[in-house]
Amino acid sequence: MKRLMLAIVFSVALIGCADKEPSTVKSTVQKQPAADVQAGKAFAERECKACHGVDGKGTAPAIPSLAAQRERYLIASIQAYKEGKRHHSALRTMAGRMSEADVKNVAAYYASLPPVASASGKEAPFFSPYESGKALAAGCAKCHGEDGNSTTPGTPSLAGQQPRYFVLALQEYLNADRKKSPMHSMLPGLGKLDMESLALYFASQTPVQRPAPALGDPAAGEPLTAVCGGCHGSYGVSTDTATPSLAGQDAGYLLDAIKAYRTTRKRENMRLYVTGLSDKNIQDIAAFYAAQKSRAAEKGQTIVQELTEKCNRCHGSEVDNPAMAVPKISGQDRDYLVMALRAYRDDRRESTTMHKMSLPYSDSIIESVASFYAGQPGK
Ligand code: HEC
Ligand code: HEC
Ligand code: HEC
Ligand code: HEC
């Protein structure tokens, strides 16, 4: 169940900067020899230029810019390669060959450079999963309704549907795990980002309450749903991103969907709960859920803005917490940011702080946040 919480979007349990690590910065540090910026430059020209440039701008996509990066962070990250905490074989080898003085000098050199005037909005246009989903959703409207509120009997509403379930459902059609339907022909050509964007868009729409359906008896259905609520939420409003909401769904669709778990939809956990139900029971349950009020599952319109406000507590250009080696990320290479965030999420890069931050992100949110920071003026 825990893993189900790896949501498209997430419960906002972001640890803030309040959560300070014990300060290791003592006022009584011994005098260290000052870094030699000129020696750092010479070293960079010899060893780093091919990839990071002498101006500190990555020479190809996915190579991070180092110009104007915090010295403290540059030293910490070279150290992390040395110790194998960050996995990149070429850098590990290079870092392993560097003396302490080399590290200090080259870090001081790159930190002293002006920020690269790189990733302007043109190079890295802002990617909004919500807007992208909205544009794609136009192709779904004739069957699922303008905003995902279907008025066609037998066709499900998508408004307010949980986003991870939504993506799973599309994949089930794509893999022919669900019976042939008009949905199959809609899917080829949709990539993962498209699916996630559609999911975020529809999850953020407000479901319209339906009148009591013609079939079934909602009052008789209600007691039968006691067992369903544990997963589908009370009154069918799910709070789990991978479990569908049933509230306000088209009754005819619910009827077919429940029956399908006896035959074509191969989900053991659902089959278990529906095999004992009579056709009359199923009608009543469908009638009960169809008449319930649902709500939007996400706030896709503002999600990236709210998210980046949280990131800025540590990464904001005016913030510099001396107890933490926090990199500047504004103006950083977009592809590199995507790669770094995925690495934290997928446990390929160590950082307890960032791991907590990025664990639940979908690829579409990662793309969006990365394009946001890449398009910000240099750090
Ligand atoms: C062959 C190309 C290449 C060369 C040469 C190279 N780097 Fe890198 N560097 C990269 C790539 C790619 C990454 C991102 C690796 C990753 O995913 O962790 C990186 C990452 C870094 C980072 C981490 C930046 C961040 O924002 O986390 C630092 C610091 C760094 N390099 C310093 C150096 C220094 C100093 C040199 C010269 C001694 C050097 N690199 C030489 C390709 C290179
Ligand atoms: C030609 C009509 C039609 C179009 C256009 C259409 N759908 Fe559907 N969709 C259906 C029908 C009918 C079903 C129910 C099929 C079934 O019984 O499994 C469905 C089911 C779904 C489901 C599963 C819902 C659930 O609760 O399990 C999703 C998700 C979905 N469609 C998304 C989309 C998206 C996204 C688009 C646009 C890219 C789209 N559909 C376009 C007719 C359509
Ligand atoms: C153990 C958790 C659990 C219980 C209990 C449960 N469900 Fe489900 N249900 C799920 C999950 C997970 C899915 C999505 C499965 C899939 O991808 O097909 C689902 C799917 C469904 C769907 C398909 C929705 C759609 O939009 O296509 C219906 C309808 C449904 N359940 C009805 C019920 C009813 C009625 C009960 C009680 C009799 C029930 N479920 C009990 C977990 C549960
Ligand atoms: C509590 C402070 C904090 C918050 C909040 C935070 N970060 Fe970080 N971030 C860090 C620290 C510390 C590192 C360095 C970790 C390491 O060494 O790998 C980091 C590293 C990164 C990196 C790697 C940059 C590079 O040059 O390799 C990216 C990208 C990043 N954060 C993005 C984000 C985003 C996006 C958010 C908001 C969703 C966020 N961070 C929120 C502290 C924070």
Side-chain angles (χ1 to χ4, degrees):
M1 208 64 183
K2 263 277 153 56
R3 288 202 71 84
L4 295 185
M5 299 305 286
L6 304 190
I8 277 228
V9 193
F10 46 102
S11 57
V12 192
L14 297 176
I15 56 162
C17 288
D19 178 55
K20 289 199 179 86
E21 284 156 27
S23 174
T24 49
V25 188
K26 298 262 163 61
S27 48
T28 53
V29 277
Q30 291 139 346
K31 264 249 171 301
Q32 303 231 349
D36 180 343
V37 174
Q38 279 315 312
K41 180 176 185 190
F43 191 87
E45 273 174 343
R46 253 190 351 262
E47 301 278 340
C48 325
K49 186 173 100 180
C51 297
H52 295 289
V54 253
D55 59 355
K57 177 170 167 25
T59 54
I63 300 179
S65 289
L66 304 180
Q69 185 53 279
R70 289 197 177 104
E71 203 170 330
R72 195 165 67 244
Y73 173 73
L74 289 172
I75 293 172
S77 53
I78 296 171
Q79 197 61 33
Y81 289 119
K82 254 190 205 218
E83 291 168 4
K85 287 186 183 154
R86 282 180 73 169
H87 316 281
H88 189 281
S89 53
L91 274 159
R92 183 170 191 176
T93 312
M94 273 184 285
R97 284 201 309 255
M98 291 169 81
S99 71
E100 226 171 280
D102 293 336
V103 173
K104 247 174 46 187
N105 295 343
V106 83
Y109 168 65
Y110 278 120
S112 73
L113 296 174
V116 287
S118 71
S120 64
K122 270 187 271 113
E123 258 178 74
F126 177 61
F127 170 70
S128 161
Y130 182 85
E131 293 303 329
S132 154
K134 185 177 180 178
L136 290 164
C140 323
K142 77 172 186 301
C143 297
H144 289 288
E146 207 50 60
D147 49 2
N149 281 293
S150 159
T151 51
T152 310
T155 301
S157 280
L158 305 175
Q161 193 48 281
Q162 287 290 353
R164 287 221 330 142
Y165 169 72
F166 186 103
V167 172
L168 283 173
L170 294 185
Q171 281 162 350
E172 285 175 350
Y173 290 119
L174 209 53
N175 303 337
D177 290 340
R178 282 171 78 159
K179 77 170 187 325
K180 263 235 163 305
S181 80
M183 276 312 298
H184 291 262
S185 57
M186 298 310 304
L187 298 171
L190 289 183
K192 188 169 181 225
L193 286 187
D194 296 333
M195 292 187 184
E196 289 180 354
S197 299
L198 281 161
L200 183 66
Y201 171 75
F202 281 117
S204 309
Q205 303 310 305
T206 306
V208 171
Q209 191 166 12
R210 291 174 188 274
L215 93 182
D217 173 4
E222 178 163 14
L224 297 170
T225 64
V227 65
C228 322
C231 296
H232 290 285
S234 61
Y235 300 98
V237 182
S238 165
T239 52
D240 176 81
T241 56
T243 306
S245 280
L246 307 177
Q249 188 52 283
D250 176 76
Y253 173 73
L254 283 176
L255 193 72
D256 290 347
I258 297 174
K259 288 183 176 168
Y261 286 109
R262 296 167 170 174
T263 52
T264 48
R265 284 177 80 167
K266 299 190 171 45
R267 290 282 167 162
E268 259 320 287
N269 57 350
M270 273 303 303
R271 197 183 56 79
L272 219 62
Y273 293 99
V274 300
T275 38
L277 300 170
S278 70
D279 285 2
K280 163 81 168 67
N281 288 158
I282 295 177
Q283 278 195 11
D284 295 343
I285 290 174
F288 170 73
Y289 278 127
Q292 304 309 309
K293 190 169 161 43
S294 193
R295 60 161 189 254
E298 299 292 354
K299 284 198 291 179
Q301 297 88 334
T302 52
I303 183 167
V304 174
Q305 188 196 333
E306 283 174 18
L307 190 56
T308 51
E309 277 166 15
K310 302 221 166 66
C311 313
N312 285 343
R313 289 182 202 160
C314 292
H315 290 289
S317 41
E318 70 292 350
V319 185
D320 186 8
N321 178 347
M324 247 194 267
V326 180
K328 298 184 191 172
I329 58 175
S330 290
Q332 184 54 283
D333 178 78
R334 183 189 152 286
D335 293 358
Y336 174 71
L337 290 174
V338 169
M339 206 179 65
L341 287 168
R342 285 193 185 158
Y344 290 125
R345 179 190 65 186
D346 302 339
D347 234 346
R348 284 179 284 108
R349 181 166 166 186
E350 272 181 40
S351 164
T352 38
T353 310
M354 280 309 301
H355 193 65
K356 278 182 198 147
M357 292 289 139
S358 54
L359 188 63
Y361 297 176
S362 68
D363 284 354
S364 62
I365 298 287
I366 286 180
E367 287 283 335
S368 183
V369 167
S371 70
F372 171 81
Y373 281 108
Q376 297 289 103
K379 39 209 180 160

